[in-house]
């Protein structure tokens, strides 16, 4: 089955050119002027942009945590992603105590059965770093897993110590794998949490006050320094503030193999949002900081001091005692109300897999902070390169997977939970005005979104085996 997209402007990380795009089956087979349309479904994209499908390298779908489960599963999360222009994502398969990495991976593959619509891969999160587990790391490459995530926070639950971090970085680097770090000092944070609870300071804003930006800056520099000693590439996930990004800038100015990601929500919100009556909506880790940090992050994206925008999509209901309608089902999943009297019991995480590209387009490209090419680089190309999927994914080029978004720069929308598709009862960006949205979305040549119409089918998404030795950007 052929599709010819005519007269659009193809936007890659480096170029914007008016060209037709010819798709045959799953691949882009030609790019150029006046391509022949015989036998093809022809789509006129005049006045629109043809972008590579977005890649979100930081998601947590149906993640069991804090007495509940993140409310998007591997079908609803994929549907929401697609409506926002994202056609691939990498989720975290988490190894829990006494499990092997292979067991963890099998558990995550099982969750996907019959559900995926977009393409997906896994990072492996190590939380019980025994010697046997560390020896198992290279086996992951045959499974298509080339990235390892460690958390320096969530003491007693997921946190690993410096011995484990250093050994894992050495092992990973020796096999061309990348170590990703959730950088917060979990030891200091746990003391601050205990003190806050003892003093009866239990409201959502106390979540922020017990996780100071210094905890992030310290852990970022520690991770980067250990990576330098291990001669390992390192990627710091969900960076929130000037003080941690400055550590990354220092590392990069010294030629270290260090890269960083931020998420859209850290560009917009600050600790005052957690003082609101519905402050639980904004409880995530690391927490929200200040308006000055928001601005610093925008500049960091523009100036290549950060390399990727991921979402850390980990949605929960604000009020999980009430059902919502999702497609033809009534859904009720316990959520942030679990911590209504105590912030330590609020499930950590926010939705965003659908919002990422539309929000970044309207407020980044639309305000002239980043170019369209930089937008593609941050949302598509850098993720593909850093995570071992380029050029199959992350660009529009002959031979690449036909993951393509026809982006209409004139489409407008006021964001609402009622006109987005993330399976939860709120949208962080409620009321914000967007200009420029995905209009048609293709995954490997299959159109899965056509305007408001959902054409995706559960089961059509494929597992992405990724290659080791990926680029350091
Ligand atoms: O609050 C968050 N970010 N929840 C998801 C888990 C994590 O730390 O990324
Ligand atoms: Zn994290
Ligand atoms: Zn995360």
């Amino acid at each position: 089955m052929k599709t010819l997209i005519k007269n659009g402007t193809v936007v890659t990380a480096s170029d914007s050119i008016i060209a037709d795009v010819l798709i045959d089956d799953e691949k882009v087979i030609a790019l150029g002027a006046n391509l022949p349309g015989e036998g093809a479904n022809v789509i006129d994209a005049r006045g629109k942009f043809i972008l590579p499908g977005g890649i979100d390298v930081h998601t947590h779908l149906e993640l069991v945590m804090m007495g509940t489960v993140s409310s998007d599963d591997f079908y609803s999360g994929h549907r929401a992603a697609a409506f926002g222009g994202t056609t691939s994502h990498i989720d975290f398969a988490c190894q829990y105590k006494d499990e092997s990495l292979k067991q963890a991976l099998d558990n995550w593959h099982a969750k996907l059965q019959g559900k995926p619509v977009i393409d997906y891969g896994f990072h492996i999160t190590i939380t019980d770093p025994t010697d046997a587990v560390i020896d198992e790391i290279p086996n992951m490459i045959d499974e298509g897993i080339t990235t390892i995530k460690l958390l320096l926070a969530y003491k007693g639950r997921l946190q690993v110590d410096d011995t484990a971090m250093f050994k894992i970085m050495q092992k990973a680097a020796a096999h061309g794998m990348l170590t990703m770090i959730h950088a917060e000092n979990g030891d200091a944070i746990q003391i601050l949490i205990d003190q806050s609870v003892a003093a009866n300071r239990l409201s959502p804003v106390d979540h922020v006050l017990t996780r100071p930006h210094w905890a992030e800056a310290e852990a970022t520099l520690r991770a980067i320094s250990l990576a330098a000693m291990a001669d390992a590439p390192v990627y710091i996930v969900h960076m929130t503030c000037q003080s941690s990004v400055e550590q990354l800038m220092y590392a990069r100015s010294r030629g270290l193999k260090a890269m960083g990601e931020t998420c859209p929500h850290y560009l917009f919100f600050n600790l005052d949002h957690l003082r609101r009556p519905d402050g639980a909506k904004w409880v995530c880790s690391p927490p929200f900081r200040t308006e000055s940090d928001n601005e610093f992050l925008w500049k960091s994206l523009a100036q290549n001091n950060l390399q990727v925008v991921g979402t850390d999509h980990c949605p929960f209901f604000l009020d999980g005692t009430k059902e919502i309608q999702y497609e033809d089902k009534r859904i009720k999943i316990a959520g942030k109300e679990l911590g209504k009297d105590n912030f330590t019991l609020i499930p950590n995480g926010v939705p965003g897999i659908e919002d990422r590209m539309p929000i970044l387009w309207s407020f980044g490209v639309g305000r002239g902070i980043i170019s369209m090419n930089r937008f593609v680089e941050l949302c598509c190309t850098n993720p593909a390169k850093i995570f071992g999927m380029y050029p199959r994914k992350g660009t529009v080029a002959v031979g690449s997977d036909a993951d393509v978004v026809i982006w209409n720069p004139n489409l407008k929308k006021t964001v609402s939970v009622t006109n987005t598709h993330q399976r939860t009862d709120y949208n962080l960006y409620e009321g914000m005005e967007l200009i420029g949205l995905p209009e048609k979305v293709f995954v490997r040549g299959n159109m899965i979104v056509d305007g408001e119409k959902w054409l995706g089918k559960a089961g059509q998404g494929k597992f992405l085996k990724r290659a080791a030795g990926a680029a350091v950007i």
Side-chain angles (χ1 to χ4, degrees):
M1 165 67 187
K2 284 190 182 169
T3 304
L4 178 64
I5 306 173
K6 286 192 77 65
N7 304 319
T9 300
V10 176
V11 182
T12 65
S14 52
D15 298 297
S16 307
I17 48 160
I18 294 182
D20 299 345
V21 180
L22 184 59
I23 297 169
D24 189 9
D25 195 20
E26 299 201 337
K27 298 283 180 189
V28 173
I29 60 160
L31 277 177
N34 304 317
L35 294 179
E38 290 90 59
N41 173 31
V42 179
I43 297 170
D44 187 12
R46 192 177 299 273
K48 298 172 190 167
F49 298 112
I50 318 292
L51 309 182
I55 303 176
D56 188 349
V57 297
H58 191 152
T59 64
H60 303 279
L61 300 179
E62 50 185 292
L63 176 67
V64 174
M65 67 181 267
M66 298 183 78
T68 184
V69 60
S70 60
S71 58
D72 264 317
D73 67 13
F74 282 93
Y75 169 77
S76 66
H78 283 195
R79 181 169 175 264
F83 272 107
T86 288
T87 55
S88 304
H89 77 120
I90 313 181
D91 209 83
F92 293 89
C94 189
Q95 174 246 3
Y96 296 114
K97 188 149 178 46
D98 297 330
E99 278 180 353
S100 69
L101 300 185
K102 180 71 169 74
Q103 280 164 340
L105 204 51
D106 289 346
N107 292 342
W108 251 261
H109 276 296
K111 291 188 195 211
L112 266 290
Q113 285 301 313
K115 293 180 190 156
V117 190
I118 64 171
D119 288 352
Y120 63 96
F122 297 124
H123 316 285
I124 191 96
T125 302
I126 301 181
T127 71
D128 187 15
T130 62
D131 285 346
V133 164
I134 294 174
D135 284 343
E136 202 191 341
I137 286 173
N139 302 351
M140 289 291 101
I141 296 174
D142 288 341
E143 306 285 341
I145 313 298
T146 57
T147 41
I148 295 161
K149 155 101 168 291
L150 303 175
L151 297 109
L152 309 186
Y154 305 122
K155 192 171 169 67
R157 218 155 44 89
L158 307 168
Q159 183 173 329
V160 298
D161 65 16
D162 292 353
T163 304
M165 174 162 55
F166 190 62
K167 284 185 182 173
I168 289 169
M169 283 174 163
Q170 281 188 325
K171 180 70 89 179
H175 295 274
M177 300 169 83
L178 173 67
T179 306
M180 307 165 73
I181 301 288
H182 171 133
E184 286 186 294
N185 185 317
D187 289 6
I189 286 170
Q190 192 55 53
I191 294 168
L192 293 172
I193 290 173
D194 292 346
Q195 289 168 348
S196 191
V197 170
N200 212 26
R201 293 193 299 264
L202 297 171
S203 62
V205 75
D206 293 308
H207 175 75
V208 180
L209 300 176
T210 55
R211 307 182 89 93
H213 71 91
W214 291 113
E216 185 177 328
E218 183 280 328
T220 300
L221 184 59
R222 180 160 38 105
I224 285 168
S225 304
L226 294 197
M229 288 188 273
D231 193 20
V234 65
Y235 176 96
I236 312 294
V237 299
H238 51 38
M239 302 187 78
T240 70
C241 53
Q242 177 168 356
S243 60
S244 65
V245 175
E246 282 177 347
Q247 311 312 308
L248 182 66
M249 290 163 66
Y250 169 70
R252 289 172 64 84
S253 74
R254 303 287 297 253
L256 298 181
K257 295 177 269 190
M259 298 167 282
E261 159 200 285
T262 193
C263 311
H265 41 274
Y266 295 122
L267 301 165
F268 290 90
F269 305 111
N270 60 61
L271 85 167
D272 285 334
H273 289 88
L274 286 102
R275 298 189 202 276
R276 296 179 179 186
D278 57 355
K281 277 182 185 172
W282 285 272
V283 168
C284 64
S285 297
F288 292 100
R289 309 293 186 188
T290 64
E291 284 183 14
S292 151
D293 288 303
N294 302 153
E295 289 313 307
F296 192 86
L297 295 175
W298 275 116
K299 269 196 236 127
S300 303
L301 291 177
Q303 294 167 0
N304 195 30
N305 293 326
L306 287 165
Q307 289 67 48
V308 171
V309 177
T311 62
D312 196 10
H313 178 75
C314 189
F316 296 97
F317 282 47
L318 178 62
D319 181 358
T321 65
K322 297 202 177 80
E323 289 184 341
I324 61 163
Q325 186 74 28
Y326 193 88
E327 291 195 299
D328 56 353
K329 293 199 187 72
R330 304 292 294 166
I331 303 283
K332 187 169 83 163
I333 303 172
K336 296 201 180 242
E337 77 287 352
L338 292 171
K340 66 180 170 15
D341 300 319
N342 180 346
F343 76 89
T344 68
L345 303 177
I346 301 172
N348 284 205
V350 297
I353 200 168
E354 177 172 2
D355 306 311
R356 177 181 69 137
M357 292 176 74
I359 286 282
L360 201 66
W361 180 278
S362 283
F363 293 93
V365 179
R367 290 191 296 174
I369 297 172
I370 55 171
S371 67
M372 288 191 298
N373 308 95
R374 180 70 178 149
F375 170 85
V376 166
E377 191 165 54
L378 289 164
C379 294
C380 318
T381 315
N382 280 356
K385 287 182 174 170
I386 295 168
F387 291 92
M389 296 179 276
Y390 188 83
R392 176 177 165 198
K393 304 284 190 191
T395 193
V396 180
V398 173
S400 296
D401 281 359
D403 296 350
V404 168
V405 180
I406 301 181
W407 195 277
N408 184 336
N410 300 315
L411 275 183
K412 293 187 182 166
K413 165 157 125 180
T414 305
V415 180
S416 168
V417 68
T418 59
N419 63 16
T420 47
H421 307 81
Q422 296 159 150
R423 198 171 70 175
T424 181
D425 58 352
Y426 72 99
N427 187 305
L428 276 186
Y429 305 94
E430 188 77 31
M432 290 193 187
E433 306 285 349
L434 303 181
I435 306 182
L437 288 157
E439 191 172 271
K440 295 186 196 298
V441 179
F442 297 80
V443 176
R444 283 176 286 98
N446 298 302
M447 199 195 300
I448 60 171
V449 170
D450 185 5
E452 298 296 312
K453 253 191 278 145
W454 174 237
L455 306 173
K457 293 191 181 49
Q460 73 187 127
K462 283 192 182 160
F463 176 63
L464 285 165
K465 274 192 144 195
R466 295 178 294 117
V472 175
I473 304 285

